[in-house]
Amino acid sequence: MLPKLILTDIDGVWTDGGMFYDQTGNEWKKFNTSDSAGVLFARKLNIPVGIITGEDTAIVKRRAEKLKIDILHQGIGNKLPIAQAICKDLGIALSEVAYIGDDIGDLELLKASGISAAPSNAPSYIQKYVNHVTKKAGGEGAFREFVEWIIESNGQQIEDLL
C-alpha cells in the first residue's frame, strides 16, 4: 500500500547533519539535489510531502518553498504530536504515513508511522526500529532512495513516473 503522506526530517536526512557558521553568524546547509526527485515522484503519485524538523531556519523554509513542499513545521522538539495533528487535518491514520528520520528526536514518530526508514549513517539503535535502512547516508540522496523504495515495494516502476 502506498502511503497517504510522506514526512521527513531534514538534518541528517536531506543533509549530512553538518552545520556551517561564518564569522557574521550566517548558517549554511548543504542539500543534495537528488532528493528533489523524491518529492517529484511523490507528487506524481499525489502523495503530499511534509517536513518536520527541530531546527528553525530560513534555509529550510527556502528549500521547502523551492520544492513546493506541502507541509512545513520547524522548531519542533516533539514530532509525534505534530504528525498526529497533520493526520487529523488530512483525515488519515499514522499507519498510512511514511517517515524517514535519523536520530533520537525522530524515534517516537518512526515507531508510530506505518512505514519508517533511517539513512545508513543513523545510529544502530535508531536503525533497529525502522522498516528500511537506506543504502545512502543522510545528505547523499537518502530521501529520494526512501521514496523510490516505497514505490518499488508497491510493485510500481520508477520509469513509469518519468
Side-chain angles (χ1 to χ4, degrees):
M1 173 187 87
L2 285 171
K4 294 189 177 172
L5 173 66
I6 298 173
L7 295 174
T8 179
D9 181 32
I10 288 293
D11 292 315
V13 177
W14 288 47
T15 75
D16 64 6
M19 295 181 189
F20 305 94
Y21 298 93
D22 68 19
Q23 65 273 16
T24 61
N26 292 316
E27 181 178 341
W28 302 77
K29 293 182 188 290
K30 177 185 160 201
F31 293 95
N32 187 313
T33 59
S34 73
D35 284 324
S36 61
V39 176
L40 294 174
F41 292 148
R43 189 169 293 124
K44 286 188 178 228
L45 293 168
N46 296 313
I47 302 170
V49 174
I51 294 169
I52 304 176
T53 180
E55 293 290 314
D56 190 356
T57 67
I59 299 166
V60 172
K61 183 178 183 214
R62 279 200 332 255
R63 188 74 178 136
E65 287 171 351
K66 182 174 182 174
L67 296 178
K68 297 181 177 76
I69 297 292
D70 302 287
I71 300 162
L72 174 62
H73 289 277
Q74 295 196 82
I76 306 301
N78 189 349
K79 297 177 183 183
L80 182 57
I82 294 296
Q84 290 168 325
I86 294 167
C87 287
K88 185 176 179 186
D89 289 346
L90 296 175
I92 63 173
L94 269 172
S95 61
E96 299 173 296
V97 173
Y99 181 66
I100 182 168
D102 71 304
D103 216 335
I104 298 164
D106 301 302
L107 192 53
E108 284 186 45
L109 185 49
L110 288 168
K111 288 179 179 179
S113 298
I115 303 168
S116 60
S120 63
N121 61 327
S124 60
Y125 54 82
I126 300 296
Q127 290 182 11
K128 73 180 186 178
Y129 289 103
V130 301
N131 305 114
H132 180 69
V133 176
T134 64
K135 292 176 184 166
K136 297 192 183 275
E140 295 179 358
F143 177 75
R144 178 186 186 155
E145 182 184 328
F146 177 49
V147 174
E148 290 176 349
W149 173 78
I150 290 168
I151 292 166
E152 292 170 350
S153 295
N154 282 278
Q156 296 183 325
Q157 300 297 313
I158 300 301
E159 294 82 9
D160 295 338
L161 299 176
L162 303 177

